[in-house]
Amino acid sequence: MTMNKTIIAATFVSSVLSIQVSASVPDVSPKELQQTVPAAAQICVSCHGAQGQGLEGAGPKLAGLSSAYMAAQVKLFQSGNRQNPLMQPMAMMLQGDNIKIAADYFASQPVVEVGLHYRGDKVVIENPAEKLAYQGDWSRDLPACFSCHGPSAVGAELFPRLAGQQASYLKIQLEAWQKGTRKGDADNMMANVANKLTAVEIDQLAQYFASLK
């Protein structure tokens, strides 16, 4: 796809999504938007909200993710290692320093504080999703989710925050790792993890992490 075609496609997608989700976006005047959101980040607002709080069915939460993680994901969309018919053309519209400008803006947005719980805090855990998060399942070589994503899954630099993220989005991402439509992490770690999870476990984990808020 040429750059002109990419820009046209991205502009069309942005316009359609703006219409679809306008009822869910908080009232922000164009003047306020220009004053508070950097120009590079304004293309993201239609799906992710002016403060990166996300819009169910349109875009995940960006607030709470690190700038380094978001910049890396934009580049993975651009390279095709992450595949999404909406995000790929939008990502192509961010180039050069604008990637970091947009990522820095959303990384700076407020996020709900979560009480931190560490691996080892609990020994006996009844909830199967919580058990995977805290302890993993070494009989299947599944590491604890918290070992990479931090206590209470609040994230750690290139490992994204899962706490409070939309359950539907988390489920879609785990399925994308399984299908191979999402790639690009070190040593293919997340694909290895996702491919050992059952459909029921994916549902349970998505709901569990979404509830941490």
Side-chain angles (χ1 to χ4, degrees), residues 150-202:
S152 297
V154 295
E157 196 60 14
L158 291 177
F159 294 97
R161 179 188 178 100
L162 306 180
Q165 186 58 269
Q166 301 158 6
S168 59
Y169 174 77
L170 294 175
K171 177 180 178 179
I172 288 169
Q173 295 313 302
L174 286 170
E175 291 173 341
W177 287 113
Q178 287 184 333
K179 296 172 185 174
T181 55
R182 181 170 180 178
K183 303 174 185 176
D185 64 327
D187 301 321
N188 205 31
M189 184 189 303
M190 271 307 304
N192 288 329
V193 169
N195 281 314
K196 293 171 184 174
L197 296 173
T198 67
V200 170
E201 287 172 332
I202 286 176

Side-chain angles (χ1 to χ4, degrees), residues 90-189:
M90 301 298 280
M92 292 303 295
M93 294 186 72
L94 282 176
Q95 299 291 331
D97 292 342
N98 283 336
I99 295 175
K100 187 175 186 305
I101 291 171
D104 283 349
Y105 168 74
F106 286 112
S108 72
Q109 297 308 298
V111 67
V112 175
E113 289 190 15
V114 177
L116 298 183
H117 300 286
Y118 297 84
R119 293 182 61 200
D121 283 355
K122 292 185 178 182
V123 178
V124 179
I125 301 174
E126 300 291 339
N127 183 317
E130 187 178 24
K131 187 170 184 176
L132 281 174
Y134 271 94
Q135 300 175 347
D137 182 353
W138 291 109
S139 69
R140 292 183 283 166
D141 290 325
L142 272 172
C145 306
F146 287 178
S147 63
C148 290
H149 292 278
S152 297
V154 295
E157 196 60 14
L158 291 177
F159 294 97
R161 179 188 178 100
L162 306 180
Q165 186 58 269
Q166 301 158 6
S168 59
Y169 174 77
L170 294 175
K171 177 180 178 179
I172 288 169
Q173 295 313 302
L174 286 170
E175 291 173 341
W177 287 113
Q178 287 184 333
K179 296 172 185 174
T181 55
R182 181 170 180 178
K183 303 174 185 176
D185 64 327
D187 301 321
N188 205 31
M189 184 189 303

Side-chain angles (χ1 to χ4, degrees), residues 5 7 25-26 34 38 45-46 50 57 64 68 73 83 88 107 115 125 132 135 146 160 165 177 183-184 190 199 208:
K5 288 182 179 178
I7 292 173
V25 179
Q34 290 178 356
V45 169
S46 293
Q73 298 312 300
Q83 298 174 26
Q88 283 176 281
I125 301 174
L132 281 174
Q135 300 175 347
F146 287 178
Q165 186 58 269
W177 287 113
K183 303 174 185 176
M190 271 307 304
Y208 172 71

Side-chain angles (χ1 to χ4, degrees), residues 198-213:
T198 67
V200 170
E201 287 172 332
I202 286 176
D203 278 334
Q204 291 172 336
L205 284 168
Q207 294 295 332
Y208 172 71
F209 288 123
S211 73
L212 297 179
K213 54 186 176 181

